[in-house]
Amino acid sequence: MKISKKIEQAQKENKIWWSFEYFPPRTAQGLQNLLDRIERMRALGPEFVDITWNAGGRTSDLTSELVKTCQKIIGVETCMHLTCTNMPREKVDMALREAKQHGCRNILALRGDPPLGKDEWEAVEGGFVHGIDLVRHIRKEYGDYFGIAVAGFPQHVRLPPDEFEFELKCLKDKIDVGVDFIMTQMFYDVDIFIDWVKAVRAYGITIPIVPGINPLQTWNGFMKSTALARTTIPQALLDMLEPHKSNDEKVREIGTKVVADMCRKIMAADIGIRGFHFYTMNLEKATRMLLEELQLVPRVETIKPMPWRQSLTPTRRNETIRPIFWANRTKSYLSRTENWDEYPNGRFGDSRSPAYGELDGYGIWINKTKEEAYKLWDHPTTYDEVAALFATFCRGKLAALPWSDSPPSPETTVIADKLAKLNELGFFTINSQPAVNGARSDDRRFGWGPSNGYVYQKAYLEFFVSPELLAMLLPYIERDPNITYHVINKTGDLRTNTHSEGPNAVTWGVFPGKEIVQPTIVEAISFMAWKDEAYELGRQWARLYEPDSPTRKLISDIMDSHFLMNVVHNDFQSEDAIFEPFFKAGGQLAASKATNSTVNGH
């Protein structure tokens, strides 16, 4: 059934409705768990689900598989994203043909962002230039079979009048060639959204508008997603959230009430909107809490035809017996093993989690213009100047690096000088955490999670390192039995001294009335997936500079030659032990260079 028909029917019944968006995870087990989660969230009553499409269709097979499963097995109406980026006509036609075969009748047609590794968007040979071209093609080839949606951008209402007029014209042109409804980018300033809707209606656009609502999951996720989308955040919202930025549960609790109030204000605004599209980020809890706050779903356990149902995850596919103790606590049994990833505080999450993947399913980029980048990072032309940039960031005197949109976290201040010294020695750190042995959960520097708890973490370092320095570091690393590491090059060749394929928990918390929570782990599969993003960010940094410039060549050479490495010191009671091998290797390299200099200079 077309989504536009569902919306029309809901309007006739004056019914409030909602839908969910998901993106394809980056690992096979993540996909299995996401399917399990979508099936579970179907009980929350979405009118449809929406599956994203990466730039250039890098996950097109996963998108197609998700659409197929949602339509035919889970039995929920599905909308498939489709972009023009790196998509020749033949690939578009294949995607549309498969969507129709799977029973999907809804497409969100987008131009899309520049593909991975490109600064500017450009059409491929035989492809489409604008979203309107994709809409025309779908209508030409499939007539009225598909319901078609396009994106709307509420923040355009704050553009200069001439620019906003142009954006409205572009939107109207797309509507006129066969679009059925509009789905908007996320926003947190309701007045901006309402003003935009009124302007769109005044321009003669009458099709349904579906506001995109992003439930707050965590402080870090909120700040990163809004920065990437350049979303306006009301100061009042920042003031409410920032004091609790280390407590994900509190952020989610406050965010739930704020976003629920946004939805209520939209419904009360007399602009004809009674439906909401929730960007789930492949997580469940925040969306469920928001629906409960709006009193749109009953606060009861999901009713299932059996006391428990077979899970789709590989580890449970053949499960036929469960302990009788949970016969009446199905939700508890599942949540203990499937929902722990609702605390994604750290960079690494479990690769088995459906939330493991790109932030929003659209791609990777540095959120800086060339002008902003030059002001921050200048034009380094020597290796020492690059090292100085990293060291300056670690000391809290530089606002961002390509791998970090914000300054170092408060916990990093306790190791800031040591980190700076590591960078000056040639270890270019992009992520770290100090060892913590039982800090209170309300500690201003290290605390997170519910009150009256205690948190722990192992010392962790992640960095780029030259082959020469790596060769000197590894012997020192391997002499310490408490250190585990993974090191990988840009082509994906991995070396490690860990003998376990399972995750290594590097952060955990103990809280009253809860099992031990392990929100941050390190594992090989996650690291290999992250490697692509880490190197791509470095390459994008290089491409901010002119093609033949010394700065571009320097950064590109570093990305081409250096290894990416992570190191965990598993004795969390030894605060400084992780740094000792690095200082020894750095000293050895410095001595070697001094010797060579003396020999060459006689």
Side-chain angles (χ1 to χ4, degrees):
M1 185 176 183
K2 289 184 182 179
I3 291 168
S4 55
K5 296 295 183 184
K6 282 180 165 285
I7 295 174
E8 181 181 337
Q9 184 175 337
Q11 288 174 334
K12 288 179 180 178
E13 299 172 1
N14 195 31
K15 181 177 75 172
I16 302 171
W17 61 271
W18 52 92
S19 55
F20 301 150
E21 179 171 293
Y22 304 97
F23 61 83
R26 295 178 64 179
T27 65
Q29 193 164 355
L31 176 63
Q32 293 292 340
N33 282 344
L34 177 59
L35 291 171
D36 196 42
R37 182 161 288 177
I38 293 173
E39 184 173 350
R40 195 165 62 247
M41 290 180 72
R42 185 184 68 162
L44 297 176
E47 288 293 323
F48 65 92
V49 299
D50 181 46
I51 309 297
T52 69
W53 182 280
N54 282 96
R58 290 184 294 113
T59 58
S60 57
D61 291 343
L62 285 177
T63 297
S64 181
E65 186 64 28
L66 276 171
V67 170
K68 175 183 176 181
T69 304
C70 289
Q71 286 286 145
K72 293 189 174 183
I73 298 176
I74 298 178
V76 61
E77 203 67 57
T78 309
C79 178
M80 184 181 79
H81 287 212
L82 191 58
T83 72
C84 304
T85 304
N86 273 1
M87 291 286 289
R89 191 178 302 263
E90 298 76 20
K91 199 169 183 178
V92 169
D93 287 335
M94 181 183 298
L96 291 169
R97 186 163 57 249
E98 289 182 353
K100 185 175 181 180
Q101 289 172 354
H102 300 332
C104 174
R105 299 204 61 187
N106 302 281
I107 302 292
L108 176 57
L110 306 161
R111 190 201 72 166
D113 294 312
L116 195 66
K118 296 287 186 180
D119 297 320
E120 303 293 336
W121 194 94
E122 55 185 43
V124 295
E125 185 176 351
F128 303 100
V129 178
H130 301 291
I132 191 173
D133 302 322
L134 181 56
V135 175
R136 286 195 183 103
H137 179 74
I138 297 171
R139 285 289 175 238
K140 178 183 176 183
E141 298 297 323
Y142 289 90
D144 196 43
Y145 176 81
F146 286 109
I148 301 177
V150 293
F153 300 91
Q155 298 218 150
H156 284 170
V157 77
R158 294 294 187 260
L159 292 172
D162 290 347
E163 293 182 33
F164 185 39
E165 176 79 14
F166 174 76
E167 295 294 344
L168 286 173
K169 182 181 183 303
C170 291
L171 182 59
K172 182 69 162 59
D173 289 345
K174 282 187 279 191
I175 305 306
D176 290 344
V177 298
V179 171
D180 297 296
F181 64 103
I182 299 166
M183 296 174 68
T184 81
Q185 189 182 49
M186 69 174 182
F187 56 90
Y188 288 99
D189 190 321
V190 179
D191 292 332
I192 285 178
F193 173 75
I194 293 172
D195 290 346
W196 178 79
V197 171
K198 290 179 178 178
V200 167
R201 295 303 187 216
Y203 203 79
I205 297 172
T206 60
I207 63 173
I209 295 172
V210 183
I213 304 296
N214 191 26
L216 270 72
Q217 311 280 355
T218 67
W219 169 261
N220 289 338
F222 168 68
M223 294 304 293
K224 188 169 185 180
S225 62
T226 51
L228 289 174
R230 297 185 181 271
T231 303
T232 299
I233 308 173
Q235 187 60 45
L237 177 55
L238 286 174
D239 292 342
M240 281 188 281
L241 294 175
E242 192 161 14
H244 308 285
K245 61 185 180 182
S246 297
N247 187 338
D248 285 349
E249 284 194 353
K250 191 66 176 179
V251 167
R252 196 178 293 124
E253 177 188 331
I254 296 170
T256 296
K257 295 185 181 301
V258 169
V259 176
D261 286 341
M262 286 171 49
C263 296
R264 294 186 187 104
K265 187 172 181 179
I266 290 170
M267 289 188 287
D270 194 27
I271 52 176
I273 292 178
R274 304 279 287 172
F276 303 95
H277 184 62
F278 296 117
Y279 298 114
T280 70
M281 299 301 177
N282 289 9
L283 296 171
E284 177 179 354
K285 183 176 287 186
T287 301
R288 186 180 71 247
M289 288 171 62
L290 181 55
L291 289 171
E292 289 173 348
E293 176 67 24
L294 289 166
Q295 297 184 334
L296 296 178
V297 292
R299 302 178 71 93
V300 297
E301 302 229 5
T302 301
I303 299 173
K304 302 184 186 302
M306 297 176 64
W308 59 274
R309 60 180 173 81
Q310 188 177 29
S311 178
L312 298 178
T313 58
T315 55
R316 288 183 172 173
R317 187 178 298 279
N318 299 317
E319 183 181 29
T320 58
I321 299 173
R322 285 183 182 173
I324 194 172
F325 315 114
W326 283 275
N328 297 315
R329 295 282 294 166
T330 304
K331 181 179 177 182
S332 172
Y333 185 83
L334 292 174
S335 66
R336 289 178 66 171
T337 53
E338 292 175 345
N339 283 341
W340 69 270
D341 58 58
E342 299 283 2
Y343 291 90
N345 256 336
R347 180 187 297 280
F348 288 120
D350 191 338
S351 65
R352 297 166 294 184
S353 164
Y356 185 85
E358 277 123 350
L359 173 71
D360 56 8
Y362 290 100
I364 305 161
W365 64 93
I366 294 175
N367 188 37
K368 294 287 182 289
T369 64
K370 286 187 177 182
E371 293 72 21
E372 291 169 339
Y374 297 163
K375 185 176 181 180
L376 275 170
W377 308 316
D378 203 356
H379 293 69
T381 56
T382 67
Y383 200 79
D384 286 344
E385 288 176 350
V386 173
L389 279 176
F390 280 82
T392 302
F393 175 79
C394 291
R395 291 191 173 103
K397 297 178 181 179
L398 187 64
L401 283 177
W403 296 269
S404 180
D405 288 331
S406 55
S409 63
E411 70 171 16
T412 306
T413 58
V414 301
I415 55 172
D417 289 339
K418 295 183 178 67
L419 288 175
K421 184 176 179 181
L422 289 191
N423 282 281
E424 290 165 351
L425 291 172
F427 301 99
F428 297 155
T429 60
I430 61 173
N431 193 13
S432 63
Q433 69 177 32
V436 175
N437 184 16
R440 286 182 58 88
S441 59
D442 58 1
D443 184 278
R444 288 180 176 271
R445 183 174 287 161
F446 303 115
W448 56 271
S451 58
N452 299 318
Y454 289 88
V455 299
Y456 302 80
Q457 57 191 41
K458 300 173 184 176
Y460 173 79
L461 293 170
E462 181 187 332
F463 51 92
F464 288 104
V465 59
S466 68
E468 181 184 13
L469 189 51
L470 176 64
M472 294 182 177
L473 174 66
L474 284 176
Y476 293 110
I477 288 281
E478 289 172 346
R479 290 172 194 165
D480 189 337
N482 287 313
I483 291 181
T484 51
Y485 71 85
H486 299 85
V487 60
I488 196 167
N489 60 17
K490 69 172 186 176
T491 59
D493 301 314
L494 179 73
R495 176 175 175 178
T496 180
N497 68 341
T498 180
H499 302 293
S500 170
E501 295 183 359
N504 180 6
V506 294
T507 304
W508 63 100
V510 182
F511 308 103
K514 288 180 175 286
E515 291 189 338
I516 293 175
V517 180
Q518 303 177 59
T520 313
I521 66 167
V522 173
E523 61 171 355
I525 295 174
S526 298
F527 187 58
M528 292 177 74
W530 158 245
K531 176 267 299 182
D532 296 330
E533 184 170 340
Y535 278 102
E536 174 59 21
L537 288 169
R539 287 189 289 264
Q540 288 191 12
W541 182 21
R543 287 195 296 271
L544 289 170
Y545 300 92
E546 294 302 316
D548 297 325
S549 66
T551 299
R552 182 161 180 167
K553 183 179 186 307
L554 172 65
I555 299 170
S556 297
D557 288 347
I558 290 172
M559 288 299 102
D560 287 340
S561 64
H562 281 40
F563 288 82
L564 180 66
M565 186 173 189
N566 72 61
V567 172
V568 178
H569 199 286
N570 292 283
D571 183 356
F572 57 89
Q573 294 182 329
S574 300
E575 295 180 359
D576 296 330
I578 193 170
F579 296 103
E580 294 175 7
F582 294 87
F583 294 150
K584 290 177 181 177
Q588 181 181 339
L589 180 63
S592 174
K593 288 181 177 179
T595 300
N596 291 337
S597 176
T598 301
V599 171
N600 293 333
H602 306 285

